[in-house]
């Protein structure tokens, strides 16, 4: 077990499943106290399992689209831990379809989950992260989970492209804002490629039902074949990158975009 994050406190949004869960596990494996947040009730089976399986963790129910929920989470973190070293804005959802078929309500919901949540987490925890960072060798760390779809376009993914592209530039703007003002917070984004998660499978099921020509399995297989390494990523492969960015090993990195995509965007 690594100790590079020993004594540090991390909060991960959307952390009960998929990439978020892997991030929480990787941070804990490096010695951090991890505050797991998600929409599930605090006594739900998944939340109970997370507390049992992730060493040194705590759980807070958080609707990441609501500012009041973020404020309540901040108050609990300050009360229970007195510091926050690492914020991982991971909450997200997908939305696919031809632009003329997208509903405005669905667009707005996606932006709330994928973009508003990043803004609200950063805004709410900035003062605590800055205070903690002032006593840390290389400052506190914010890691925002974007996507390769925040770097390149794809047909029938315009809403998701837009939300993740916004996360990329929001990250860079905040990195410069904090660095220029001497605020000790590093801000970086991670851009996963295709990762084998429940969310990906759900998205492929919906796409298959709408398209009617390929099954979800065939769509996933095509994703793997379109990736130079010929496979999907496992969530832990994203979690390890986030843990690196959260640590002092990434001390000179801010405003960076780290692509973890098996070579997909190298073509």
């Amino acid at each position: 077990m690594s100790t590079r994050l020993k004594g540090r406190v991390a909060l991960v949004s959307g952390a009960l499943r998929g990439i978020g869960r892997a991030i929480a596990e990787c941070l804990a494996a490096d010695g951090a106290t991890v505050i797991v947040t998600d929409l599930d009730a605090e006594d739900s089976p998944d939340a109970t399992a997370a507390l049992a399986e992730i060493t040194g963790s705590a759980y807070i129910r958080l609707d990441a689209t609501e500012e009041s929920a973020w404020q309540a989470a901040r108050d609990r973190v300050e009360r229970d831990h007195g510091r926050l070293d690492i914020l991982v804005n991971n909450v997200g959802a997908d939305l696919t379809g031809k632009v003329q078929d997208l509903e405005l309500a669905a667009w707005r919901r996606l932006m709330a989950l994928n973009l508003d949540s990043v803004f609200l987490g950063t805004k709410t925890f900035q003062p605590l992260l800055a205070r903690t960072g002032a006593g840390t060798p290389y400052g506190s760390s914010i890691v925002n989970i974007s996507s390769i779809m925040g770097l390149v376009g794809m047909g029938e993914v315009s809403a998701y492209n837009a939300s993740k592209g916004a996360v990329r530039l929001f990250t860079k703007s905040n990195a410069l804002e904090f660095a220029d003002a001497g605020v000790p917070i590093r801000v970086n984004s991670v851009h996963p490629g295709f990762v084998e998660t429940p969310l990906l499978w759900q998205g492929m099921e919906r796409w298959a039902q709408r398209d009617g020509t390929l099954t979800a399995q065939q769509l996933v297989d095509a994703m793997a074949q379109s990736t130079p390494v010929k496979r999907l990523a496992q969530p832990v492969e994203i979690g390890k990158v986030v843990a690196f960015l959260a640590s002092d090993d990434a001390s000179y990195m801010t405003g960076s975009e780290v692509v973890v995509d098996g070579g997909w965007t190298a073509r």
Side-chain angles (χ1 to χ4, degrees), residues 210-239:
R210 187 176 68 248
D211 178 71
T213 60
L214 296 173
T215 66
Q217 183 65 62
Q218 288 171 322
L219 288 167
V220 170
D221 290 345
M223 279 184 174
Q225 288 305 305
S226 71
T227 302
V229 299
K230 305 304 181 189
R231 66 175 178 87
L232 304 187
Q234 293 303 305
V236 68
E237 295 178 290
I238 312 304

Side-chain angles (χ1 to χ4, degrees), residues 11-100:
L11 184 145
V12 185
S13 66
L16 283 183
R17 300 166 192 87
I19 293 173
R21 176 62 177 267
I23 291 169
E25 291 172 349
C26 288
L27 293 172
D30 278 352
T33 296
V34 182
I35 301 159
V36 175
T37 75
D38 218 308
L39 270 175
D40 300 48
E42 296 197 9
D43 60 353
S44 69
D46 284 348
T48 302
L51 292 177
E53 295 168 12
I54 302 174
T55 303
S57 62
Y59 181 76
I60 297 176
R61 184 186 183 278
L62 173 66
D63 181 345
T65 68
E66 293 291 337
E67 186 167 18
S68 60
W70 277 105
Q71 292 167 342
R74 175 202 58 204
D75 293 346
R76 279 189 59 180
V77 172
E78 287 200 276
R79 181 195 71 200
D80 295 345
H81 304 279
R83 64 186 293 131
L84 188 70
D85 300 84
I86 302 155
L87 172 65
V88 182
N89 288 308
N90 168 72
V91 162
D94 69 350
L95 177 64
T96 60
K98 295 179 172 62
V99 66
Q100 68 269 24

Side-chain angles (χ1 to χ4, degrees), residues 3-4 9 29 48 58 81 84 100 102 105-106 128 130 142 145 149 158 171 180 190 210 214 264-265:
T3 59
R4 65 179 175 179
V9 178
T48 302
H81 304 279
L84 188 70
Q100 68 269 24
L102 297 178
L128 182 56
I142 296 175
I145 307 304
M149 296 302 150
S158 59
T171 297
D180 289 344
V190 173
R210 187 176 68 248
L214 296 173
W264 199 86
T265 57

